[in-house]
Amino acid sequence: MRFIVQFTMLNLELNTIFSLGLRNMLNQYNDYIELSMKVRGALETLVSALTPINHGKGSSNEVQPALMNTDLLSREADSISLLLSLLEEDDFYVRYYTLQLLTALLTNSPQRLQEAILTIPRGITRLMDMLMDREVIRNEALLLLTHLTREAEEIQKIVVFEGAFEKIFSIIREEGNSDGGVVVQDCLELLNNLLRNNASNQVLLRETIGLDSLISILKLRGSAFSFTQQKTINLLSALETIRLLIKGSDADTGKDMNKQANKTNLVQKKLLDHLLILSIESQWAPVAVRCAAMQCIGDLIIGDSKNRDLLASKILGEEPQVEPALNSILRIILRTSSMQEFIAADYVFKCFCEKNSDGQSMLASTLIPQPYSMSHATLEEDINMSFGSMLLHGLTLGENSGDLEICCRAASVLSHILKDNLPCKERVLRIEIEPPMQSLGAPEPLLHRMVKYSALASSMKGKDGKSSTSENSYTEVIILKLLITWLADCPSAVQCFLDARPHLTYLLELVSNLSETVCIRGFATVVLGECVIYNKSTDNGKDAYAIVDAISQKVGLSSYFLKFDEMKKSFAFASVESSMTRKSFARSSAASMADIEDVDENDLSEKKSPDHPILSSVLDSYFVNFVKKLEADIREQIVDVYSQPKIKVAVVPAELEQKSGESDGEYVKRLKTFVEKQCSEIQDLLVRNATLAEDLAKTSGGSRSLESDQRVSGASERVQMEKLRRELQEASQRLVNLQAEKAKVESEAEMYRNLAGKTEADLRSLSDAYNSLEQSNIQMENELKALRKGGPSTFPDVEAIKAEAREEAQKESEGELNDLLVCLGQEQSKVERLTARLLELGEDVDKLLEGIGDEAGAGEEDEDDDDDDDDAE
């Protein structure tokens, strides 16, 4: 009884304690629920405050409340830390609204939030834990991490260290790979953020979980005919991941090694087979998927000989209709109605031929002309054709608008085969196309047929320059691009092009036709320039001088050089760098299929460009840089052509004919004067032409803007440097010649100096003989005077004898003096010529002749003294 009473007392106490504890717990729980409701309401209010309000387009200067609220909230040092701590709360809605609030903060102010989260301990770890939470929380965490990892390399590395790759691919498998919903898209977008330009993350993905999970996303499951919009976007996102791995990291110093390792690993996983299925064999796939797959094929084979050979060896289709993969891709180029698919397939051939001379030669070797009946068969009958036959089939179908489009697409492929490969250019140059009937003429070279189709495309345009069809607006440009590639560094192609005189006339008209687009006029300008710089002909009318002369007369050099500046400013050239970039398919950019289908016509209408939008894709950066280099070479070559005389003189001046009654001596003298005058005028004209050409090269378009001056300055400086170099070489050569001539003149001067000394000695001996004769004469006169004093009748007439002797002596001395004066005159003329030449060479003539005149002067003074003495006597 006592035990029962005690137990009852204990039970009452326990009930009292339990009731009090339960009441406290209920009160605490109610307080917690009330607190959670308040936190939830506060978070929901903050999310609304940070969400932009869209009331249509407002003023650009209008205050954005969401941005101001974001700035105020993120400015508080502890606010981000507090929000991250709320992710550990048990309340579902608290975590949900916290993730939404952080996403809104990241959307409005990404950099500040990224820096703040990096400074908070375990901040990113808490966010990664949310990927293992309930589905709704997980999806919000995916969106948050997608915003957080954009352009934040440090955060990307931490997220990967926290196991992001394993969690991403686990979610993708759970959702059904490419057949999954928008969650798969979010996972792939997060994956792309982690891999873009981040070599270390790419290495971790490749060496930890591998690339099998990524390849499995590309496998088509279930019905291969079913491609929903979301599945299309998922496949495009996975293909973008493939391209990121193939392209490597731009910031990585070992980019090539990492890129090659990624390529090797992907090829080992049979990536090429999956890409060929998506791009070629699965014709039910959307155009965007086929294009993205072909672009991945191009990136996979470019610069990789093994992958190129692997693609060339692939056989597609089922027996009996099987064919090489390259033939299938070429058929897509010729048949497709989608412009984007043509661009993507053309990109495959561009990558295949890039620095691949063996592959180019292999494709060129299949270019064998077919009979007219086979070459004009329908496209549906080409299943058994070789690659070259199919390509020639497309190149020679150009009689109407639809065939011209096929022709220009085939021309684009041919330009890749010929690029930087002289043997292929020479080989294709020998291909001749037969006419429909033999009565219509002889076969014509393929190059002439291409020019003919370019002129045909130009003639189909109206008077306003607009094409009757949209295809013709780019057909002419692509064919001109082929001509530029073909004629580059190939003199035989230039010679073949100029063999038909109408070709030059067509180009000159195309350059000066203002109704043509800027791009077409610019390309025609480049082709004309190639006819100058790669012209090795010596035929009159086809040489470089004749081409430059035709340009100067028909277009004008100033206008001709301006075409280069106009072309470089065109939309097609300016948009080359961004032509191959594709959108990442985030939720904001994938709202409709219009974002991933074909060419965006809205972009064209906004830019108001006369050039077709395909040109920005077909004209790659290599071609644009090649044209810019050609421009500098063309300017320099035209300056050189103007600085050199023509080889032949077309007109014989009347002054070269000998006049009637004119002696040969007078005729030769007049010819000499005429030639000297002509040489002087020619030199003046050459200097003026060179100066004018340099001025044109410097100032063509330069007076319009400062940018044009800067663009031309490089070419003009090279021209000036080349001119100065030539002048320096000529001056050096002249200096060598003058030094040799100076040595020759000095030797001749020494010889004449010796000769002058000898002559002076002869003069002194002659003077001594004359003096002795005079003395004998005086002595005889003295003797005669003495005899006279003895008697005049005894001796004969002495004066007569004296006069006779003096006359004979005088005649003898005058003869000798005349001979001596003749010699002295000849020597004097030589001395005068040598003196003039020495003065030209800068020598001091007085110094050289010093001492010679003094000796002669002394001799003359002695003679004068003797004469004075005789007179005195």
Side-chain angles (χ1 to χ4, degrees):
M1 184 70 179
R2 181 180 178 183
F3 175 76
I4 294 174
V5 171
Q6 288 179 351
F7 179 77
T8 302
M9 294 286 295
L10 179 60
N11 191 22
L12 288 174
E13 290 178 1
L14 288 174
N15 286 335
T16 303
I17 294 172
F18 180 75
S19 61
L20 290 174
L22 182 61
R23 190 177 298 113
N24 291 333
M25 290 177 62
L26 288 174
N27 290 334
Q28 291 177 2
Y29 179 74
N30 290 332
D31 293 340
Y32 174 77
I33 294 297
E34 184 177 357
L35 179 61
S36 296
M37 292 292 292
K38 291 180 180 180
V39 173
R40 188 188 310 170
L43 291 172
E44 190 173 1
T45 302
L46 289 173
V47 170
S48 300
L50 300 183
T51 303
I53 302 174
N54 295 324
H55 293 306
K57 280 191 174 182
S59 173
S60 58
N61 298 326
E62 184 179 350
V63 177
Q64 301 292 333
L67 296 179
M68 292 183 61
N69 294 334
T70 299
D71 183 68
L72 291 173
L73 182 59
S74 60
R75 191 178 299 173
E76 297 294 332
D78 298 332
S79 57
I80 307 302
S81 178
L82 177 61
L83 289 175
L84 289 176
S85 66
L86 292 177
L87 295 176
E88 298 178 349
E89 293 294 327
D90 295 330
D91 190 279
F92 169 81
Y93 289 101
V94 170
R95 300 198 305 277
Y96 177 73
Y97 286 123
T98 300
L99 289 172
Q100 283 195 332
L101 181 58
L102 288 171
T103 303
L105 286 170
L106 276 168
T107 304
N108 296 332
S109 181
Q111 186 174 359
R112 181 178 293 180
L113 262 292
Q114 288 170 348
E115 294 173 354
I117 291 176
L118 276 175
T119 60
I120 298 174
R122 296 188 72 253
I124 296 177
T125 304
R126 295 174 188 173
L127 295 177
M128 292 298 298
D129 292 339
M130 295 296 100
L131 292 179
M132 309 306 296
D133 208 320
R134 296 165 61 177
E135 183 176 349
V136 177
I137 298 295
R138 179 199 68 187
N139 296 344
E140 288 296 327
L142 275 174
L143 288 177
L144 174 60
L145 289 170
T146 300
H147 287 84
L148 185 63
T149 53
R150 285 177 184 164
E151 300 179 359
E153 186 175 356
E154 292 299 324
I155 294 179
Q156 292 169 3
K157 292 180 180 179
I158 297 174
V159 169
V160 170
F161 183 76
E162 294 290 340
F165 290 145
E166 293 84 353
K167 294 175 182 179
I168 287 173
F169 284 110
S170 174
I171 296 172
I172 290 176
R173 283 191 295 269
E174 291 176 6
E175 294 292 325
N177 288 304
S178 62
D179 294 319
V182 71
V183 176
V184 175
Q185 176 188 345
D186 293 337
C187 288
L188 290 172
E189 186 179 357
L190 175 58
L191 178 64
N192 293 340
N193 287 348
L194 298 176
L195 297 178
R196 186 175 289 110
N197 294 327
N198 197 316
S200 60
N201 286 354
Q202 292 180 11
V203 173
L204 282 173
L205 174 63
R206 186 177 68 241
E207 296 182 355
T208 53
I209 67 172
L211 303 178
D212 296 291
S213 300
L214 179 60
I215 299 295
S216 64
I217 301 175
L218 301 178
K219 295 180 180 179
L220 298 179
R221 298 172 178 80
S223 175
F225 307 96
S226 174
F227 283 88
T228 62
Q229 176 179 343
Q230 189 58 56
K231 182 176 181 178
T232 300
I233 297 174
N234 292 343
L235 286 172
L236 289 172
S237 299
L239 290 171
E240 184 182 1
T241 307
I242 296 293
R243 292 198 75 187
L244 290 175
L245 291 172
I246 294 174
K247 290 287 188 180
S249 171
D250 295 335
D252 181 22
T253 55
K255 173 184 175 181
D256 293 337
M257 294 180 59
N258 179 47
K259 180 171 66 173
Q260 190 59 40
N262 291 340
K263 284 185 177 182
T264 303
N265 201 305
L266 288 169
V267 171
Q268 291 174 352
K269 306 297 181 183
K270 307 295 182 183
L271 172 66
L272 186 58
D273 294 334
H274 294 292
L275 294 177
L276 289 173
I277 291 173
L278 283 175
S279 60
I280 299 173
E281 295 188 293
S282 180
Q283 290 302 313
W284 300 276
V287 173
V289 174
R290 299 203 301 268
C291 294
M294 280 190 281
Q295 289 174 353
C296 287
I297 292 174
D299 293 333
L300 190 66
I301 65 175
I302 188 169
D304 193 310
S305 58
K306 293 182 179 179
N307 292 346
R308 287 195 298 252
D309 296 340
L310 181 63
L311 175 63
S313 64
K314 289 292 181 182
I315 303 296
L316 304 181
E318 298 179 358
E319 293 291 347
Q321 294 189 347
V322 295
E323 65 177 352
L326 291 177
N327 289 29
S328 299
I329 297 173
L330 178 61
R331 181 175 290 103
I332 290 175
I333 290 177
L334 300 178
R335 283 185 176 184
T336 183
S337 59
S338 169
M339 198 63 62
Q340 288 295 89
E341 192 169 14
F342 157 59
I343 294 172
D346 184 75
Y347 179 70
V348 175
F349 278 105
K350 173 184 176 297
C351 296
F352 181 82
C353 297
E354 188 75 24
K355 297 180 181 179
N356 182 19
S357 58
D358 294 337
Q360 290 173 308
S361 301
M362 182 267 292
L363 295 178
S365 65
T366 63
L367 293 169
I368 302 174
Q370 300 292 328
Y372 180 80
S373 58
M374 288 190 62
S375 63
H376 283 71
T378 59
L379 286 174
E380 287 73 13
E381 300 174 6
D382 63 358
I383 186 64
N384 296 321
M385 288 185 179
S386 65
F387 177 89
S389 300
M390 197 188 312
L391 184 59
L392 284 176
H393 182 196
L395 288 170
T396 54
L397 291 176
E399 303 302 327
N400 53 60
S401 177
D403 292 340
L404 271 181
E405 182 185 4
I406 296 175
C407 173
C408 95
R409 294 182 178 186
S412 180
V413 176
L414 182 60
S415 67
H416 300 317
I417 297 175
L418 301 182
K419 185 174 75 172
D420 297 334
N421 194 318
L422 185 58
C424 286
K425 294 178 182 180
E426 300 281 358
R427 184 188 188 104
V428 179
L429 196 62
R430 294 190 293 269
I431 295 177
E432 293 188 343
I433 308 300
E434 294 184 359
M437 294 183 293
Q438 293 184 354
S439 60
L440 295 179
E444 62 178 341
L446 180 61
L447 178 63
H448 289 194
R449 182 66 66 91
M450 292 296 99
V451 180
K452 172 185 173 183
Y453 289 160
S454 177
L456 185 61
S458 178
S459 64
M460 288 183 177
K461 299 177 182 178
K463 294 182 179 179
D464 56 352
K466 295 183 179 180
S467 176
S468 56
T469 60
S470 60
E471 293 83 1
N472 290 339
S473 60
Y474 68 87
T475 298
E476 194 172 2
V477 176
I478 293 181
I479 296 178
L480 287 172
K481 176 178 178 284
L482 169 63
L483 294 178
I484 292 173
T485 305
W486 201 338
L487 268 58
D489 202 20
C490 186
S492 56
V494 174
Q495 180 66 36
C496 180
F497 178 84
L498 295 176
D499 283 342
R501 183 66 183 179
H503 292 173
L504 182 60
T505 304
Y506 162 66
L507 284 180
L508 292 171
E509 292 177 353
L510 208 59
V511 171
S512 57
N513 189 358
L514 297 179
S515 62
E516 295 287 356
T517 64
V518 172
C519 197
I520 290 176
R521 296 199 302 270
F523 279 22
T525 302
V526 176
V527 176
L528 276 175
E530 287 182 323
C531 291
V532 175
I533 61 178
Y534 301 119
N535 192 325
K536 305 300 181 183
S537 175
T538 57
D539 297 339
N540 189 20
K542 294 181 182 179
D543 59 348
Y545 196 97
I547 305 300
V548 175
D549 190 48
I551 294 173
S552 178
Q553 292 181 5
K554 300 293 184 180
V555 182
L557 287 180
S558 179
S559 177
Y560 173 79
F561 287 134
L562 280 175
K563 298 298 185 293
F564 288 105
D565 297 327
E566 294 172 358
M567 176 179 59
K568 288 187 290 187
K569 293 178 182 178
S570 65
F571 162 74
F573 267 56
S575 57
V576 163
E577 297 299 330
S578 60
S579 60
M580 294 303 295
T581 58
R582 293 186 295 112
K583 297 178 182 179
S584 59
F585 295 97
R587 290 190 182 186
S588 58
S589 64
S592 66
M593 289 294 289
D595 292 326
I596 56 175
E597 279 299 333
D598 215 330
V599 176
D600 193 349
E601 298 295 339
N602 293 330
D603 293 343
L604 179 62
S605 60
E606 289 176 4
K607 296 181 185 296
K608 304 292 183 184
S609 171
D611 295 315
H612 197 280
I614 188 179
L615 297 182
S616 60
S617 300
V618 175
L619 305 180
D620 55 3
S621 58
Y622 172 86
F623 181 77
V624 171
N625 294 331
F626 173 70
V627 169
K628 292 178 180 178
K629 179 180 178 297
L630 272 180
E631 177 196 355
D633 295 339
I634 290 169
R635 293 178 186 269
E636 183 177 356
Q637 185 66 22
I638 288 179
V639 172
D640 291 340
V641 169
Y642 262 91
S643 302
Q644 297 173 359
K646 291 187 67 175
I647 298 174
K648 297 181 180 180
V649 178
V651 180
V652 179
E655 288 82 353
L656 297 180
E657 300 293 338
Q658 187 173 5
K659 299 178 181 179
S660 61
E662 186 178 23
S663 64
D664 292 342
E666 294 175 350
Y667 177 57
V668 171
K669 184 177 181 181
R670 185 167 57 82
L671 284 180
K672 181 179 179 181
T673 304
F674 175 77
V675 170
E676 291 177 353
K677 180 181 178 183
Q678 289 293 314
C679 288
S680 177
E681 292 178 355
I682 287 172
Q683 292 299 323
D684 292 341
L685 288 174
L686 289 177
V687 172
R688 287 168 55 193
N689 283 341
T691 304
L692 290 173
E694 289 173 12
D695 291 341
L696 286 173
K698 293 177 184 177
T699 61
S700 59
S703 58
R704 295 175 179 267
S705 64
L706 180 60
E707 294 179 0
S708 298
D709 286 336
Q710 293 173 348
R711 284 195 300 270
V712 175
S713 61
S716 62
E717 287 176 1
R718 288 194 296 274
V719 172
Q720 188 68 19
M721 288 296 293
E722 183 64 22
K723 179 187 174 185
L724 292 175
R725 184 182 65 80
R726 290 198 303 269
E727 290 179 352
L728 180 60
Q729 290 178 348
E730 293 174 358
S732 300
Q733 187 63 35
R734 286 199 301 269
L735 181 60
V736 172
N737 295 337
L738 289 174
Q739 288 175 348
E741 191 172 351
K742 176 186 175 183
K744 180 180 178 182
V745 170
E746 286 179 349
S747 65
E748 291 180 356
E750 184 66 25
M751 181 184 69
Y752 287 121
R753 193 181 298 116
N754 296 334
L755 184 60
K758 182 180 178 182
T759 304
E760 289 176 4
D762 293 340
L763 285 173
R764 280 196 294 270
S765 63
L766 184 60
S767 178
D768 293 340
Y770 180 79
N771 291 333
S772 65
L773 184 61
E774 287 291 330
Q775 290 175 1
S776 298
N777 190 20
I778 293 170
Q779 183 178 1
M780 291 177 66
E781 286 180 353
N782 294 331
E783 290 177 354
L784 285 174
K785 288 178 181 179
L787 291 172
R788 282 176 184 175
K789 291 179 180 179
S793 61
T794 310
F795 299 98
D797 189 357
V798 178
E799 292 295 334
I801 295 172
K802 179 179 178 182
E804 184 179 356
R806 184 178 296 174
E807 184 178 356
E808 289 178 0
Q810 187 173 359
K811 286 181 180 180
E812 184 180 354
S813 62
E814 283 180 356
E816 292 180 358
L817 283 173
N818 288 335
D819 294 338
L820 183 59
L821 289 173
V822 170
C823 293
L824 287 175
Q826 292 175 352
E827 297 301 323
Q828 182 64 28
S829 63
K830 292 181 180 180
V831 169
E832 289 177 354
R833 290 174 58 190
L834 288 174
T835 302
R837 187 58 181 168
L838 288 171
L839 288 175
E840 291 179 1
L841 295 174
E843 295 291 339
D844 190 351
V845 179
D846 295 334
K847 186 177 181 180
L848 289 174
L849 298 179
E850 185 178 355
I852 296 175
D854 295 340
E855 297 175 359
E860 292 177 358
E861 289 177 0
D862 292 340
E863 293 179 3
D864 293 341
D865 294 340
D866 294 339
D867 293 340
D868 293 339
D869 294 339
D870 293 339
D871 293 338
E873 291 177 357

